[in-house]
Amino acid sequence: MDIALNTTHNFLSKIATNDGHGENSPYFDGWKAYDSDPYHHETNPSGVIQMGLAENQLCFDLIQEWIGNHPEASICTPQGGFDFKEIALFQDYHGLPEFRSAIANFMSRVRGSRVQFDPDRIVMSGGATGAHETLAFCLANRGEAFLVPTPYYPGFDRDLKWRTGVELIPVVCESSNNFKVTLGALEEAYDKAKESNIKVKGLLITNPSNPLGTFYDKETLKTLVDFINEKNIHLVCDEIYAGTVTRENEFVSIAEVLEEFPTICDHNLIHIVYSLSKDMGFPGFRVGIIYSFNDTVVNIARKMSSFGLVSTQTQHMVASMLSENDFVDNFIKESRNRLAHRHDMFTRELAQVGIGSLESNAGLFFWMDLRRFLKEPTFESEMTFWRTIISEIKLNVSPGSSFHCNEPGWFRVCFANMDDATVMVALERIKSFVHETRMLEIKTMAKIKTKKQCWQNNLQLKLSSRRLEDIMSPQYSPLNSPMLRAQN
Amino acid sequence: MDIALNTTHNFLSKIATNDGHGENSPYFDGWKAYDSDPYHHETNPSGVIQMGLAENQLCFDLIQEWIGNHPEASICTPQGGFDFKEIALFQDYHGLPEFRSAIANFMSRVRGSRVQFDPDRIVMSGGATGAHETLAFCLANRGEAFLVPTPYYPGFDRDLKWRTGVELIPVVCESSNNFKVTLGALEEAYDKAKESNIKVKGLLITNPSNPLGTFYDKETLKTLVDFINEKNIHLVCDEIYAGTVTRENEFVSIAEVLEEFPTICDHNLIHIVYSLSKDMGFPGFRVGIIYSFNDTVVNIARKMSSFGLVSTQTQHMVASMLSENDFVDNFIKESRNRLAHRHDMFTRELAQVGIGSLESNAGLFFWMDLRRFLKEPTFESEMTFWRTIISEIKLNVSPGSSFHCNEPGWFRVCFANMDDATVMVALERIKSFVHETRMLEIKTMAKIKTKKQCWQNNLQLKLSSRRLEDIMSPQYSPLNSPMLRAQN
């Protein structure tokens, strides 16, 4: 068996055989569990509900209405068909000029039009996945590294490391500090790399954060920029969730920091990753964007984009859609509102049964605190409990360990990839589980007491259901966490 | 300046600064020359005609007719719009099942339905560009190599080498043998690599060949398969021009060889690259395909396809179009006919002024023999003459050196990216050039003779134009080549 494995290893490449794709993570295992038993309200009402997928399904009615009113946006309609040949043949890696302009316009409007983007710096890629790999290829050699604050998106291990040979070094963030990135943690990670003779070439942040659903305030961003400028390393800002921020005016793009403080750093160090997969909800269309302030990176990344250009059919449609400002502004506003409503409803309901989450107002997910449910504060316990969630509560949420979180007991919950009815089913299942757990706890406590105080036996078993509900309300809950999200 | 360069080199990656993208080749310089002065029959009639672009523009009328009749193929029409959300959200790297089935069906029909393809082995990639890189990442480690018969497509240096670190080792093919690949040449290249301590992991062929426009006969394919099987190395067959073969029944896909001789080799060694950029003329849609007979490669390449998936909007349209057999069969037949007509007309006209080409009947180009026009049989002379072609004849054809041809004087001429009228302009320019060159030759000869025989002076200058034309006809031409394409 060993011989066969070795033969395979020689026969194919190390990359093909090194598991660097990362699909053996629980993050993807959860997807498989969902795939094998997917919930459907009629055909499989006891199936697994997919809450591990950061999809944005809440505004497709607006998009479909626009599509219906704009047949010219398609090269497959009589109105747009005269462009078919021209579009099908267009393979310039600069992209359609109108596509780049529309993307620059959209990026600006998503950021409240507080900053402009130059269409000539828009580089295409195969989704944010391709954008991250391209930047890693451009900025670092094999064995060199990027710092990444934890918890971080599991796909980064595939995107930045697998084929490039680049390393990711965690910057440890902690719940005691609401998972904020501190200068101390950055310096510690940097020094640790240095001690291991690993050259650090950059810092990668997601802003807003996946999985936290939080975003960086301006002061923190300035601290990060000072840090990378002092070290003369790159800063890659993944802003693919910029349009999901519910408190619009509070979000600060790295582009705004550069505009407000132009001398704060060497602009050649700053690169943004963007995408239409989250803010527009178009992951199937594979629109990834690199926006670099470094001319050489723009030039080289554009040449690399040949490995993952956006279909011109899609470029054409996106160009039409995102250059129409009334539609864009209304879409962004409505999307923010619907996401906020869903987020608040979900976290409020959970809070009522004593389940807390990190305070957040961005992303298509929140960061749920289930630390109190673990038998022990270990990742083994987290995995045991996660298996319970999948197999008994029948929800695919993603365990914090798959996001390289350093504290067991946190889970990412996606809330925008389902309809309202499914949300209610998911909430009911969670509530039932909490209820049953409390019942079990009470029974266990009762047994303990029984052993100690046999004479109280009958009394314990006569607790009324009314009394149980009282115990389970938040004010009585032992599960209350200081991280519990404030309901505004 | 050196310091600045070094700083840049440290600052970015070696890949970003090593010129491995290959755009400094004359192949791309020619495109730039075209871009700066593009021919237009009305607005710029003396501009450069683009004959360096292997586009297939001859059958868009058929495609546009189909599109007009199938509004349901677009997710942006009322008829197809109800799928918009489902398609926009679909991001499974397996691809839409109907897309994979349609591609497998098309690949089979392009090969005369003599062989079937399994939809479960269809892996997407960002064009053939992405497909080649993905296979290189799967099959070879940095520093390991693929053998490639020359002349070969210049983009391979970017696709297979740039980001992977894989090497390409030329298998030298010669005009004396019509550039056929021989076992001797294969063994020589393999041994040379071995002597240099380079591990050879595969052989890459293009069948039909770009730039030659020829394809491999069954016996040669069997020889290649025997060779790779004996060496236990991979065979990557780029068949992206399979549908351009004008003598349909003579083309043999590697898949047919495996079907006819199932025990000829370990099927795990065989991989096909396909695309819709050439056979359908859709380079803008970025539909690249890897079809591997190796289960592990299918599995890993599919995971890698995340870096360059095909837009689901395009998958959906392509699935509709290529699953309709009447359309597919008619398109393939009509496309072959139109390509054959264009190819034959072009080469026949050139032959009439004494310009030969390698006999071929596939591709969107032919391999033009201008060896007799070079002052010396060197690549410097080839480049000098190529500059003349660009600046004086105002045609962007691609010099053989950019295809790693080992013999100076060959040029690739693309003929399917323009309309009939432009073809005529190009031909007229070539004819004029040949005419003027002959005039110059005659004058030069006259001067030589003048010096020797002053008394003949007047007679030489009185040659009638009728006489000149006679001299320039093929039967008198000193430019006649044994490679001159037979006109069938």
Side-chain angles (χ1 to χ4, degrees):
Chain A
M1 186 64 191
D2 273 355
I3 294 166
L5 193 69
N6 279 334
T7 308
T8 305
H9 277 232
N10 286 326
F11 186 59
L12 300 180
S13 70
K14 288 174 197 162
I15 289 171
T17 48
N18 72 1
D19 271 355
H21 49 76
E23 288 197 19
N24 299 329
S25 149
Y27 180 74
F28 294 104
D29 281 349
W31 289 11
K32 289 169 203 159
Y34 165 75
D35 283 342
S36 66
D37 181 26
Y39 168 81
H40 186 278
H41 67 287
E42 277 178 359
T43 57
N44 191 22
S46 64
V48 175
I49 296 177
Q50 173 62 292
M51 307 186 83
L53 192 57
E55 267 182 2
N56 189 353
Q57 296 197 9
L58 304 188
C59 284
F60 271 100
D61 56 327
L62 304 181
I63 294 162
Q64 283 180 297
E65 187 189 345
W66 187 91
I67 286 285
N69 292 331
H70 293 81
E72 76 285 359
S74 168
I75 54 173
C76 302
T77 58
Q79 294 87 340
F82 69 94
D83 285 334
F84 189 95
K85 177 180 167 184
E86 191 190 331
I87 298 295
L89 283 169
F90 186 89
Q91 59 179 322
D92 184 340
Y93 56 38
H94 292 84
L96 293 166
E98 58 270 30
F99 169 76
R100 276 186 288 129
S101 295
I103 291 285
N105 177 59
F106 185 71
M107 285 177 70
S108 173
R109 284 178 180 265
V110 159
R111 288 154 186 83
S113 299
R114 294 183 298 276
V115 65
Q116 299 303 309
F117 293 91
D118 177 358
D120 287 343
R121 292 193 181 280
I122 300 282
V123 177
M124 282 179 279
S125 64
T129 296
H132 278 291
E133 189 190 53
T134 297
L135 278 175
F137 271 124
C138 285
L139 304 179
N141 296 318
R142 298 184 77 73
E144 295 178 344
F146 283 83
L147 306 179
V148 197
T150 63
Y152 66 80
Y153 166 56
F156 282 162
D157 293 316
R158 172 195 62 197
D159 301 351
L160 282 108
K161 290 166 65 177
W162 189 24
R163 307 199 304 183
T164 64
V166 167
E167 298 294 329
L168 295 185
I169 294 177
V171 177
V172 178
C173 301
E174 291 170 339
S175 66
S176 59
N177 184 33
N178 287 354
F179 294 101
K180 282 185 179 160
V181 183
T182 64
L183 189 57
L186 286 168
E187 293 282 6
E188 195 181 323
Y190 187 87
D191 292 343
K192 208 170 157 185
K194 216 169 166 181
E195 281 164 25
S196 309
N197 281 320
I198 297 173
K199 187 169 184 176
V200 174
K201 286 299 275 292
L203 167 65
L204 164 63
I205 62 169
T206 55
N207 185 33
S209 162
N210 174 7
L212 299 177
T214 56
F215 53 82
Y216 291 83
D217 57 57
K218 197 184 284 180
E219 282 313 304
T220 305
L221 279 178
K222 284 170 67 185
T223 304
L224 299 184
V225 172
D226 283 338
F227 172 79
I228 64 103
N229 196 51
E230 185 223 314
K231 306 290 187 198
N232 195 32
I233 62 175
H234 297 274
L235 177 62
V236 176
C237 298
D238 179 329
E239 297 189 354
I240 68 171
Y241 290 99
T244 66
V245 176
T246 54
R247 293 183 198 160
E248 180 192 358
N249 291 326
E250 292 179 14
F251 176 71
V252 184
S253 165
I254 194 68
E256 292 176 65
V257 173
L258 295 193
E259 195 153 296
E260 192 173 349
F261 310 99
T263 60
I264 194 173
C265 73
D266 178 356
H267 289 213
N268 286 307
L269 298 170
I270 311 291
H271 322 275
I272 296 172
V273 168
Y274 193 55
S275 146
L276 298 185
S277 300
K278 307 304 180 182
D279 286 354
M280 290 298 297
F282 295 165
F285 296 166
R286 311 314 298 147
V287 182
I289 300 295
I290 294 165
Y291 188 91
S292 175
F293 292 87
N294 182 316
D295 292 346
T296 308
V297 172
V298 168
N299 181 288
I300 298 294
R302 188 158 277 148
K303 289 178 171 59
M304 283 190 193
S305 70
S306 296
F307 298 109
L309 296 169
V310 178
S311 168
T312 48
Q313 184 191 13
T314 297
Q315 284 186 51
H316 181 79
M317 183 193 66
V318 163
S320 308
M321 189 183 287
L322 300 190
S323 57
E324 201 183 295
N325 289 337
D326 286 349
F327 167 75
V328 166
D329 291 343
N330 181 55
F331 179 88
I332 295 169
K333 188 178 154 212
E334 188 63 25
S335 177
R336 287 186 202 286
N337 288 343
R338 294 187 193 181
L339 287 170
H341 178 261
R342 177 67 65 85
H343 173 279
D344 292 349
M345 187 268 280
F346 214 127
T347 52
R348 189 175 55 237
E349 291 283 328
L350 288 182
Q352 283 176 7
V353 293
I355 294 180
S357 58
L358 182 70
E359 183 171 348
S360 65
N361 43 42
L364 307 170
F365 33 73
F366 57 88
W367 193 230
M368 181 167 64
D369 179 5
L370 300 182
R371 286 177 293 175
R372 302 289 180 99
F373 283 87
L374 303 193
K375 283 195 175 157
E376 294 170 353
T378 63
F379 289 111
E380 289 71 35
S381 280
E382 180 178 283
M383 286 312 293
T384 304
F385 187 56
W386 175 71
R387 279 186 217 104
T388 302
I389 299 174
I390 291 271
S391 60
E392 291 180 26
I393 317 183
K394 296 284 191 86
L395 300 178
N396 175 33
V397 296
S398 307
S401 56
S402 63
F403 296 88
H404 301 266
C405 186
N406 80 317
E407 265 178 50
W410 295 88
F411 292 80
R412 190 190 71 169
V413 181
C414 296
F415 59 74
N417 61 324
M418 61 194 79
D419 57 21
D420 286 334
T422 308
V423 170
M424 296 318 295
V425 175
L427 281 167
E428 282 310 313
R429 289 185 185 181
I430 296 172
K431 287 178 181 176
S432 290
F433 175 79
V434 173
H435 186 92
E436 284 161 24
T437 304
R438 295 278 166 76
M439 285 292 281
L440 208 63
E441 280 172 1
I442 289 161
K443 281 183 185 166
T444 306
M445 280 195 291
K447 277 182 188 167
I448 293 166
K449 284 188 178 175
T450 304
K451 281 181 185 170
K452 288 185 178 174
Q453 301 172 294
C454 288
W455 61 271
Q456 284 188 338
N457 196 15
N458 287 332
L459 186 62
Q460 287 290 339
L461 291 174
K462 282 177 188 163
L463 277 166
S464 73
S465 63
R466 176 69 223 148
R467 175 85 186 102
L468 268 177
E469 273 170 26
D470 285 349
I471 289 172
M472 282 167 60
S473 70
Q475 61 268 34
Y476 289 96
S477 173
L479 299 177
N480 250 332
S481 152
M483 311 293 300
L484 187 67
R485 191 183 177 286
Q487 302 297 331
N488 300 306
Chain B
M1 186 62 192
D2 273 353
I3 294 164
L5 193 67
N6 280 334
T7 309
T8 305
H9 277 232
N10 286 326
F11 185 59
L12 300 180
S13 70
K14 288 174 198 161
I15 288 171
T17 50
N18 71 2
D19 272 355
H21 49 75
E23 290 196 18
N24 299 328
S25 149
Y27 180 75
F28 294 105
D29 281 350
W31 290 11
K32 289 169 202 159
Y34 164 76
D35 283 342
S36 66
D37 181 24
Y39 169 81
H40 186 276
H41 69 287
E42 278 177 358
T43 57
N44 191 22
S46 65
V48 174
I49 297 176
Q50 173 62 294
M51 308 184 81
L53 192 57
E55 267 181 5
N56 189 354
Q57 297 197 9
L58 304 188
C59 285
F60 271 99
D61 55 328
L62 304 182
I63 293 162
Q64 283 179 296
E65 187 189 342
W66 186 90
I67 286 286
N69 292 332
H70 292 82
E72 76 285 359
S74 168
I75 54 173
C76 302
T77 58
Q79 293 86 342
F82 69 93
D83 286 333
F84 189 93
K85 176 179 168 185
E86 190 190 331
I87 298 294
L89 283 169
F90 185 90
Q91 58 179 324
D92 183 341
Y93 56 37
H94 292 84
L96 294 166
E98 58 270 29
F99 169 75
R100 277 187 285 128
S101 294
I103 291 285
N105 178 58
F106 185 71
M107 285 178 70
S108 173
R109 285 177 180 265
V110 158
R111 288 154 185 83
S113 299
R114 294 183 297 277
V115 65
Q116 300 303 309
F117 293 91
D118 176 359
D120 287 342
R121 293 193 179 279
I122 300 282
V123 176
M124 283 180 279
S125 64
T129 296
H132 278 292
E133 190 190 53
T134 297
L135 278 176
F137 271 124
C138 285
L139 304 180
N141 296 317
R142 298 183 77 74
E144 295 179 342
F146 283 84
L147 306 179
V148 197
T150 65
Y152 67 80
Y153 167 56
F156 282 162
D157 293 316
R158 173 195 61 198
D159 301 350
L160 282 108
K161 290 166 65 177
W162 189 22
R163 306 199 304 184
T164 64
V166 167
E167 298 294 329
L168 295 184
I169 294 177
V171 176
V172 179
C173 302
E174 292 170 337
S175 67
S176 59
N177 183 35
N178 288 353
F179 294 100
K180 283 185 177 158
V181 183
T182 64
L183 189 58
L186 286 168
E187 293 282 6
E188 196 181 323
Y190 187 87
D191 291 343
K192 210 171 156 185
K194 215 169 166 182
E195 280 163 26
S196 308
N197 281 320
I198 297 173
K199 186 169 184 177
V200 173
K201 286 300 274 291
L203 167 64
L204 164 63
I205 62 169
T206 56
N207 185 34
S209 162
N210 175 8
L212 300 177
T214 56
F215 54 83
Y216 291 83
D217 57 57
K218 197 183 283 180
E219 282 312 304
T220 305
L221 279 179
K222 283 169 67 184
T223 304
L224 299 184
V225 171
D226 284 338
F227 172 80
I228 63 103
N229 196 51
E230 184 222 316
K231 306 290 187 199
N232 195 31
I233 62 175
H234 297 274
L235 177 61
V236 176
C237 297
D238 178 330
E239 297 189 354
I240 68 171
Y241 291 98
T244 66
V245 176
T246 54
R247 294 182 197 158
E248 178 192 355
N249 291 325
E250 291 179 14
F251 175 70
V252 183
S253 165
I254 194 69
E256 292 175 64
V257 174
L258 294 193
E259 194 153 299
E260 192 172 350
F261 309 99
T263 60
I264 193 173
C265 72
D266 178 355
H267 290 214
N268 286 307
L269 297 170
I270 310 293
H271 322 275
I272 296 173
V273 168
Y274 192 55
S275 147
L276 298 185
S277 300
K278 307 305 180 183
D279 286 354
M280 288 299 297
F282 295 164
F285 295 166
R286 312 313 297 147
V287 182
I289 300 296
I290 295 165
Y291 188 92
S292 175
F293 293 87
N294 182 316
D295 292 346
T296 308
V297 172
V298 168
N299 181 289
I300 297 294
R302 188 158 277 149
K303 289 178 170 58
M304 284 192 191
S305 71
S306 296
F307 298 109
L309 295 169
V310 177
S311 168
T312 46
Q313 184 191 14
T314 296
Q315 285 186 50
H316 181 78
M317 183 192 66
V318 163
S320 308
M321 190 184 286
L322 300 191
S323 57
E324 200 182 299
N325 289 337
D326 286 349
F327 167 75
V328 166
D329 290 343
N330 182 54
F331 179 87
I332 295 169
K333 187 178 155 210
E334 189 62 27
S335 178
R336 288 187 201 285
N337 287 343
R338 295 186 193 181
L339 287 170
H341 179 261
R342 177 66 66 85
H343 174 279
D344 292 350
M345 187 269 280
F346 213 127
T347 51
R348 189 174 54 237
E349 292 283 327
L350 288 182
Q352 281 175 8
V353 293
I355 294 180
S357 57
L358 181 70
E359 183 171 346
S360 66
N361 43 42
L364 306 169
F365 33 73
F366 56 89
W367 193 230
M368 181 166 63
D369 179 5
L370 300 182
R371 286 177 293 174
R372 303 287 179 98
F373 283 86
L374 303 193
K375 282 192 176 159
E376 294 170 351
T378 63
F379 288 110
E380 290 71 34
S381 280
E382 179 178 284
M383 287 312 294
T384 305
F385 186 56
W386 175 72
R387 279 185 216 103
T388 303
I389 299 173
I390 291 272
S391 60
E392 291 180 25
I393 317 182
K394 296 286 191 83
L395 301 178
N396 174 34
V397 296
S398 307
S401 57
S402 63
F403 296 88
H404 301 266
C405 186
N406 78 319
E407 265 178 50
W410 294 89
F411 293 79
R412 190 190 71 169
V413 182
C414 296
F415 58 75
N417 61 324
M418 61 193 80
D419 57 21
D420 286 335
T422 308
V423 169
M424 296 316 295
V425 176
L427 280 167
E428 282 310 311
R429 288 184 185 182
I430 296 171
K431 286 177 181 176
S432 291
F433 176 79
V434 172
H435 186 92
E436 284 161 25
T437 305
R438 296 279 165 77
M439 284 291 282
L440 209 65
E441 281 173 358
I442 288 160
K443 280 182 186 170
T444 308
M445 278 195 293
K447 277 182 189 168
I448 293 164
K449 283 188 178 174
T450 304
K451 282 181 184 168
K452 287 185 177 172
Q453 302 171 293
C454 287
W455 60 271
Q456 284 189 340
N457 197 15
N458 287 334
L459 185 60
Q460 286 290 340
L461 293 174
K462 281 176 189 164
L463 276 167
S464 72
S465 63
R466 175 68 226 147
R467 175 86 186 101
L468 268 176
E469 275 172 23
D470 286 349
I471 288 171
M472 281 169 58
S473 70
Q475 60 270 34
Y476 288 97
S477 172
L479 298 178
N480 250 331
S481 151
M483 310 293 300
L484 187 66
R485 189 182 178 289
Q487 302 298 331
N488 301 306

